[in-house]
Amino acid sequence: MRTAKSRPARAIAEALRTETIGGIIMLTATVAALAWANMSPDSYDALRETRLGPMQLYKWAQDGLLTIFFFVAGLEVKAELVHGELANVRKAALPIIASLSGMVVPAIVYLVVSWGEHDAARGWAIPMATDIAFALAVLAVTASAMPAALRAFLLTCAVVDDLGAITVIAVFYTSHVDVLMLLLGAALLAAYALLPHQKLTLVPLGVAAWYAVEASGVHATVAGVALGLLTRTTANAEAADHYFRPISAGLAVPVFAFLSAGVKLDGSSLGAILSDRVVLGVIAGLVLGKFVGVFGGAWLSVRLGLAKLSEELHWRDMAAVSLLAGIGFTVSLLIGDLAYGDDRQRAEAVTTGILAASVIASILAAVLLHVRVRKHRIALDDV
C-alpha cells in the first residue's frame, strides 16, 4: 500500500529532475508574479514583506530556499570535477576559458554602457552568471537532437559561472563579517566534509553551517555551494542530487522567482527603464557581453591551441549556445537585489532588465538552435 501511494510522488520527483519541467515551472512562477504585481501591486508587496520569524518572506526565499539551488549547483560542480568535463584538463579548458571570458566581458560591457549613472558600479556583477535551469530547459526544448557535447559545454560553463558568481557575492557583496560566526561556519563545514555522510549528520550539519554563515554576514548561498563541493564521495553526491534536485526545481527556484520577478510593466515604468543606463547595461551585458565573452573566449582558446573543439560541434553551434548563456535570471536577480536592495525603484528596474535580456537571449538562441537542428538532422539523414 505504501508503495502504491508513493508512486505519484516518485513520478513527480522524477519529472522535476528534467531540465524542461523545471524550466517550465520557473517560467510559470515568473509569469504569475508579473501578473499579480501588475493587477494588485500592494498585495504582492505585502506578501513579499510578510515577516516569518526573523526574516521577511522574500528574504527566506533568497537566503534560505536559494541555498538549496546553490547546493545542487555545488553538487554539479563536484560531479564535473570527479567524472565530468572538468575532470579532464584538456576537455575542461574550452568551457572554463569560455566561462571566465563570459564573466569578464559582460561586466565590462555593463560598466561601459552604464558609465556615469548614479550607483552604476554597484551592479557590475549582475550580468556575469548564466541560469543553469533556464538555459538547459531552452536547450532541451529547442535542440534535443543536437550532440550531447553541446549540453556538456553549456552545463560546464554554467557551473563555472555559478562558482564565479558565488565567489563574487562572498567577496564584493558582503558589507560586514562576524569573524566568530564565520569561523564557526567553517568548522561546521569541515565537520560535514570529514564525518560519515549519514542523513542524521548531513541535514543538521548543513542547516547549522547555513545559519552560521548567514549570521556571519556572508551570504548564506555561499554555504550551499560549499556543502555541495564538500560532499565526500560520488555515491553521496549522486544521492544528495537525487533527493534535493526536485526540491530545488519544484520549490526553491520557483518560489524565489515568484517573490523576486514581480515588477510593474506599465508604459511609464517601461519608458523609464529605456532611459536608465544601468538597466541598459544589464541588457547589453547579458545579451551582447555574454555572447562575445563565451564565443570569443572559446574561439580564442582554440585559436591559441589552449583547447580543442569537439568533432561533434560546429562554431555555429557554439554561437547558439553562447547566446543561450545570456539567460541570467536566478543568479542575476539575486545579485541585482544584493546590489540595489535598498533602492526599490532601481531594483525593480534592474529586475525588468534581467527579464527582458533573458527573453531576448532565449528567443535569439532558440531561433539559431532551430536552424542548427534542421541542418543537423539533414546531415544525419545523408549519412
Side-chain angles (χ1 to χ4, degrees):
M1 181 67 70
R2 189 168 66 91
T3 302
K5 286 183 178 179
S6 63
R7 282 176 185 169
R10 286 204 305 270
I12 292 171
E14 199 60 38
L16 288 171
R17 293 186 185 99
T18 65
E19 290 96 4
T20 307
I21 299 300
I24 290 172
I25 294 174
M26 180 169 57
L27 182 59
T28 302
T30 302
V31 172
L34 289 170
W36 189 345
N38 283 275
M39 289 189 295
S40 181
D42 291 341
S43 63
Y44 177 80
D45 288 341
L47 175 67
R48 289 181 80 253
E49 303 296 331
T50 298
R51 199 161 192 87
L52 189 63
M55 292 191 292
Q56 295 154 312
L57 206 56
Y58 85 94
K59 287 292 290 180
W60 276 112
Q62 182 188 92
D63 296 0
L65 289 177
L66 210 56
T67 303
I68 300 173
F69 167 80
F70 278 102
F71 174 63
V72 173
L75 292 172
E76 288 182 323
V77 176
K78 178 83 172 186
E80 290 296 315
L81 287 169
V82 175
H83 53 71
E85 291 291 309
L86 298 179
N88 185 305
V89 176
R90 185 69 174 170
K91 288 183 177 180
L94 184 66
I96 288 177
I97 294 172
S99 182
L100 292 175
S101 176
M103 288 187 279
V104 173
V105 175
I108 293 173
V109 170
Y110 167 86
L111 289 171
V112 169
V113 174
S114 64
W115 188 263
E117 191 78 10
H118 177 64
D119 283 340
R122 292 162 62 181
W124 65 272
I126 294 171
M128 284 182 61
T130 298
D131 188 284
I132 297 177
F134 209 152
L136 288 177
V138 174
L139 184 64
V141 170
T142 59
S144 59
M146 291 297 288
L150 193 64
R151 182 188 183 280
F153 174 82
L154 178 60
L155 176 61
T156 307
C157 279
V159 296
V160 173
D161 266 6
D162 279 346
L163 200 56
I166 208 69
T167 303
V168 166
I169 289 171
V171 175
F172 295 99
Y173 291 94
T174 298
S175 57
H176 67 279
V177 176
D178 184 324
V179 177
L180 289 178
M181 291 304 294
L182 187 60
L183 290 174
L184 175 60
L188 290 167
L189 288 171
Y192 175 90
L194 296 173
L195 291 175
H197 275 198
Q198 305 291 334
K199 287 184 179 179
L200 292 178
T201 58
L202 185 151
V203 175
L205 278 175
V207 173
W210 168 84
Y211 175 78
V213 173
E214 168 72 11
S216 74
V218 177
H219 201 270
T221 51
V222 174
V225 169
L227 289 166
L229 289 170
L230 292 172
T231 302
R232 287 174 59 189
T233 68
T234 301
N236 287 333
E238 289 176 351
D241 185 278
H242 186 81
Y243 180 79
F244 283 102
R245 185 174 293 275
I247 298 174
S248 174
L251 176 66
V253 175
V255 170
F256 171 76
F258 180 77
L259 293 174
S260 301
V263 292
K264 295 177 182 177
L265 297 177
D266 55 27
S268 59
S269 300
L270 294 175
I273 287 169
L274 293 176
S275 62
D276 188 334
R277 283 189 288 118
V278 167
V279 179
L280 294 177
V282 169
I283 296 172
L286 284 169
V287 178
L288 177 62
K290 268 294 183 181
F291 172 77
V292 173
V294 174
F295 185 82
W299 181 84
L300 192 60
S301 66
V302 172
R303 185 77 173 175
L304 295 176
L306 301 174
K308 183 180 179 181
L309 185 66
S310 170
E311 294 179 358
E312 297 179 314
L313 299 178
H314 190 280
W315 281 112
R316 281 170 289 188
D317 304 326
M318 300 299 290
V321 85
S322 298
L323 282 170
L324 206 55
I327 301 175
F329 207 73
T330 305
V331 181
S332 294
L333 289 175
L334 172 61
I335 296 176
D337 190 73
L338 292 176
Y340 298 111
D342 58 347
D343 184 345
R344 179 65 173 156
Q345 185 176 358
R346 172 56 63 77
E348 286 193 355
V350 166
T351 297
T352 305
I354 294 168
L355 295 176
S358 298
V359 170
I360 294 169
S362 299
I363 292 173
L364 292 175
V367 171
L368 192 52
L369 284 168
H370 179 70
V371 173
R372 291 299 299 147
V373 166
R374 289 181 60 187
K375 291 184 177 180
H376 180 68
R377 285 174 176 167
I378 291 171
L380 290 177
D381 291 339
D382 291 339
V383 173

